[in-house]
Amino acid sequence: MTTLGDPSAAPSDEMLPRWNVTDVHESLASRSFVDAMERSAADVDRLVALFDELDIRAQTPRAPVPADGTAADRAIDELNRVSAELAILRVYAYSIVSTDSRDDPAQSALGETRQIDATLRPLTARLADWVASLGVDDLAAVSDTVAEHRGPLMRLAARAEHQMTEAEEHLAAELSVTGSSAWGRLHNDVTSQLTVDVDLPAGVEILPMPAVRGLGTDPDPLVRRAAYDAELRAWPTIEVPVAAAMNAIKGEAVALNRRRRWPSPLDASLFANSVSRPTFDAMQAAVTAALPDLRRWMRTKAGLHGHDPADGLPWWDLVAPLPFAGADVSWNDGLDVVRSAFSGYSDTLGGLVDRAIDEQWIDAAPRPGKSGGAFCASFVDDRSLVLLNWAGSADSTQTTAHELGHAYHNTTLAGRTSLQRQLPMALAETASIFCETLVVEAGLSRMSGTERLAQLDVDLVGTTQVIVDIRSRFLFETEVFAQRQRRTLSAAELCELMTDAQGLAYGDGLDQRTAHPYMWLLKPHYYGSHFYNWPYTYGLLFGLGLFARYQDDPDRFRSGYDDLLSRAGMDTAEELGMAFGLDVTDEAFWTASLDVVRARIDDYVDLANQVDSTP
């Protein structure tokens, strides 16, 4: 988005696409949607009855017989069908809520899907106990369906060791609707509906918070500072209810993890992401070693913006374009950049951009009531819904590439069942990071001088967010969990933990006087999952490793890439890595990926030394 002080140049909401889901259901009040909701609730009830009939629950360990194979076929096939249909209803309702949290009927419909899901989820726990009792490999000998789902079922069998009793798991699922799920909804509602006066150079404007956050990439430093100041005025007005949401959600997780016998919340997160502790430790060791290099980049960027590098980079300039960067990016120009880079990989990937526009998959404009940030949700068949908050910047362009990368991943999953396509977050970032890298490398290949420096800056902004800022979020959440086991935390304490974590992660790369104490409040992932943060770092560095394989042998890589993506919900992180000859348990792999980042930082510093540092 161009500077809001020049509204005549800013893209209007009407100029940016909105998604359209009316071909699936005309509205929430349509007969088709009402019938589908009623059918989904009835199907879940019938599925419960089927699991009871087949006695799909914990058993005394025994060798399976052919009748067990028949039972497995029926139970798994029906679970996949019912889960897939409910997922479409949930995403349909969320497509409305995420673009207008004030829509009460949509909120009600989304709540209803969550209530149905609360009845469905305990069946997965029962299936986990059942396959653990009989043995997945032995059961696969009498069931083709089990054989086709071996990976997901092995994960379920391992999960059975960390489950409560059947009754307790059912109660936990039911209570989550009025517990963590309700608190997460509160967070989304109050943050998406927040507006604030921003003292812009052209005058005061009242803006929704996603638009204010988008001003962080504005070329005018006065606008960026005004947006930062407005944020720090606005977030305290909602800190009390959001702190309550944080405490409730983390408190629930602490209680459930204890009863499920997880040594720590991190262990539960690693299991959920199909990543082993040796792999995680290897990645973290490499990241820790790389932090000084990323801080060096931040200090260099501070100098380019006219700050004293010794003081570090002010928060409001962390994601800012360089003073001599090109003009704002129009929506169509941004799409052209993404389309061109994608087409350089394959016609199929390039064609996805036009398909997403033609079939109205994308909602791009920030507006009151709309969720902040960006996401991609799998919808019907191989179709996705992509939410953006387009800010007219090179960073927005890369975000578009990232989310369309998720959409491409979803096309490869279209032939998989619900159980097969439940992606761990760490592996769900594979295609999105790869697609971002395509855009970056395509730009760098044709650029030199200050233009190249500006492109490197955009890339390193994103990299720093995913490595350094994610590191601060990981440290913050670790400490929140540690303290939440003993007591609730006030908003002031959460702010203090946040700035402490930023100090440890950013170090002298950031002007610590400008640290952002409310990052805990604005990031929705804290309120919908636990330790969501490190999987993004995993995805970035794994994606860079995959890109190196692509450059080594493009044709061979293309021949296996789509199959790898389609298996992301079926294999472990280590298995997927080995499919491309990558040993993710070895710190050397992560160091090699970070060496790509270091090389870009060296290039950036060399180019920065050749330009005038006066903005």
Side-chain angles (χ1 to χ4, degrees):
M1 184 180 295
T2 51
T3 305
L4 293 186
D6 180 16
S8 64
S12 68
D13 188 8
E14 291 74 19
M15 295 170 61
L16 295 171
R18 294 194 185 194
W19 56 40
N20 187 346
V21 296
T22 57
D23 62 308
V24 178
H25 298 292
E26 187 174 349
S27 71
L28 293 169
S30 67
R31 186 73 259 170
S32 69
F33 181 79
V34 173
D35 288 348
M37 287 288 284
E38 292 176 352
R39 185 168 58 251
S40 181
D43 281 349
V44 171
D45 288 341
R46 282 191 288 269
L47 186 59
V48 172
L50 177 65
F51 270 53
D52 288 342
E53 173 194 337
L54 300 175
D55 201 23
I56 305 294
R57 53 172 44 94
Q59 306 274 334
T60 301
R62 60 179 174 80
V65 297
D68 294 315
T70 301
D73 292 343
R74 291 179 64 192
I76 294 171
D77 288 345
E78 194 64 5
L79 177 64
N80 280 325
R81 182 188 70 79
V82 173
S83 298
E85 292 180 0
L86 177 59
I88 292 172
L89 292 172
R90 182 169 56 248
V91 174
Y92 180 87
Y94 190 62
S95 74
I96 302 170
V97 170
S98 61
T99 52
D100 183 8
S101 62
R102 297 183 176 93
D103 191 314
D104 290 337
Q107 291 277 20
S108 177
L110 183 61
E112 188 174 348
T113 67
R114 288 170 173 160
Q115 191 70 52
I116 297 171
D117 188 58
T119 304
L120 179 64
R121 273 186 289 132
L123 298 183
T124 304
R126 289 176 59 175
L127 181 62
D129 283 332
W130 189 68
V131 297
S133 301
L134 301 182
V136 175
D137 287 333
D138 290 341
L139 197 53
V142 294
S143 167
D144 290 340
T145 301
V146 170
E148 293 165 359
H149 292 78
R150 183 182 181 281
L153 292 176
M154 289 294 287
R155 299 293 297 166
L156 283 180
R159 178 184 127 176
E161 299 177 15
H162 294 281
Q163 290 186 168
M164 301 179 290
T165 66
E166 180 181 325
E168 288 173 324
E169 288 291 348
H170 190 94
L171 179 61
E174 188 172 350
L175 289 178
S176 71
V177 177
T178 53
S180 58
S181 180
W183 286 108
R185 172 179 165 179
L186 172 69
H187 169 268
N188 181 72
D189 289 352
V190 298
T191 56
S192 66
Q193 295 176 21
L194 183 64
T195 60
V196 61
D197 293 349
V198 186
D199 190 10
L200 296 167
V204 176
E205 291 195 41
I206 302 174
L207 296 173
M209 193 52 74
V212 176
R213 298 272 306 153
L215 294 178
T217 60
D218 194 278
D220 186 342
L222 296 177
V223 170
R224 296 195 300 271
R225 179 61 191 270
Y228 168 84
D229 290 341
E231 271 199 74
L232 295 193
R233 289 196 308 273
W235 293 126
T237 65
I238 59 171
E239 66 178 1
V240 172
V242 179
M246 174 75 79
N247 277 287
I249 290 168
K250 300 310 179 191
E252 179 181 299
V254 166
L256 290 175
N257 283 332
R258 183 175 61 250
R259 288 182 172 274
R260 288 171 175 155
R261 301 176 300 283
W262 286 111
S264 72
L266 178 58
D267 287 294
S269 174
L270 290 170
F271 179 83
N273 281 281
S274 296
V275 172
S276 70
R277 173 69 78 157
T279 295
F280 176 80
D281 289 343
M283 181 187 75
Q284 289 296 91
V287 165
T288 299
L291 289 176
D293 293 290
L294 289 152
R295 293 165 184 164
R296 175 166 59 98
W297 167 75
M298 285 185 272
R299 293 193 300 272
T300 303
K301 177 166 180 160
L304 290 171
H305 280 279
H307 307 295
D308 185 346
D311 290 337
L313 188 63
W315 189 275
W316 55 83
D317 283 340
L318 275 175
V319 299
L322 292 179
F324 45 79
D328 298 326
V329 181
S330 73
W331 170 250
N332 287 332
D333 286 347
L335 281 185
D336 286 343
V337 168
V338 175
R339 184 186 296 108
S340 175
F342 283 14
S343 296
Y345 173 80
S346 73
D347 291 340
T348 302
L349 182 57
L352 183 77
V353 178
D354 292 320
R355 184 182 174 200
I357 295 298
D358 294 342
E359 298 181 12
Q360 297 178 280
W361 294 6
I362 300 175
D363 193 293
R367 55 188 181 272
K370 183 176 178 179
S371 297
F375 68 75
C376 175
S378 178
F379 192 29
V380 179
D381 298 326
D382 68 343
R383 168 182 173 187
S384 297
L385 296 180
V386 175
L387 182 138
L388 305 170
N389 278 281
W390 178 261
S393 63
D395 180 67
S396 290
T397 301
Q398 286 195 200
T399 299
T400 302
H402 182 102
E403 299 306 334
L404 287 174
H406 282 301
Y408 182 74
H409 197 165
N410 288 337
T411 67
T412 71
L413 293 166
R416 301 296 187 184
T417 67
S418 288
L419 277 175
Q420 292 171 335
R421 62 188 297 169
Q422 291 179 7
L423 303 184
M425 190 181 299
L427 304 182
E429 293 301 311
T430 301
S432 55
I433 296 296
F434 183 82
C435 285
E436 266 196 85
T437 307
L438 287 173
V439 171
V440 172
E441 291 295 325
L444 292 176
S445 68
R446 63 177 185 271
M447 294 176 179
S448 61
T450 56
E451 185 183 22
R452 181 179 180 85
L453 180 58
Q455 177 62 54
L456 283 167
D457 188 77
V458 172
D459 174 62
L460 290 169
V461 162
T463 298
T464 301
Q465 288 292 295
V466 173
I467 296 177
V468 183
D469 196 64
I470 288 292
R471 176 69 175 168
S472 73
R473 299 181 212 174
F474 175 75
L475 294 171
F476 166 79
E477 195 165 5
T478 299
E479 192 60 27
V480 168
F481 269 120
Q483 296 200 26
R484 187 60 187 85
Q485 294 183 61
R486 301 188 296 272
R487 59 185 178 82
T488 58
L489 295 158
S490 68
E493 288 174 308
L494 291 169
C495 287
E496 183 178 357
L497 292 179
M498 191 78 259
T499 52
D500 287 348
Q502 288 168 2
L504 291 170
Y506 283 94
D508 60 4
L510 176 70
D511 183 342
Q512 294 295 332
R513 297 168 297 183
T514 69
H516 196 314
Y518 286 99
M519 287 296 286
W520 63 269
L521 188 154
L522 64 95
K523 289 296 178 182
H525 304 75
Y526 290 125
Y527 305 87
S529 58
H530 309 295
F531 282 114
Y532 80 95
N533 33 63
W534 67 264
Y536 284 98
T537 307
Y538 187 103
L540 169 68
L541 300 180
F542 186 64
L544 289 175
L546 283 182
F547 193 81
R549 284 288 185 266
Y550 164 60
Q551 289 179 309
D552 290 343
D553 191 341
D555 290 338
R556 181 181 179 186
F557 182 90
R558 291 188 190 96
S559 68
Y561 182 55
D562 284 5
D563 182 63
L564 178 144
L565 292 180
S566 77
R567 299 191 63 82
M570 301 168 65
D571 297 338
T572 66
E574 292 75 21
E575 289 169 340
L576 285 174
M578 289 307 297
F580 276 83
L582 304 173
D583 183 2
V584 296
T585 65
D586 187 351
E587 186 179 337
F589 164 74
W590 303 103
T591 299
S593 290
L594 285 159
D595 283 343
V596 175
V597 177
R598 289 185 178 94
R600 291 176 181 172
I601 291 172
D602 290 341
D603 192 3
Y604 185 99
V605 173
D606 288 343
L607 289 168
N609 288 334
Q610 301 171 29
V611 302
D612 184 359
S613 63
T614 302

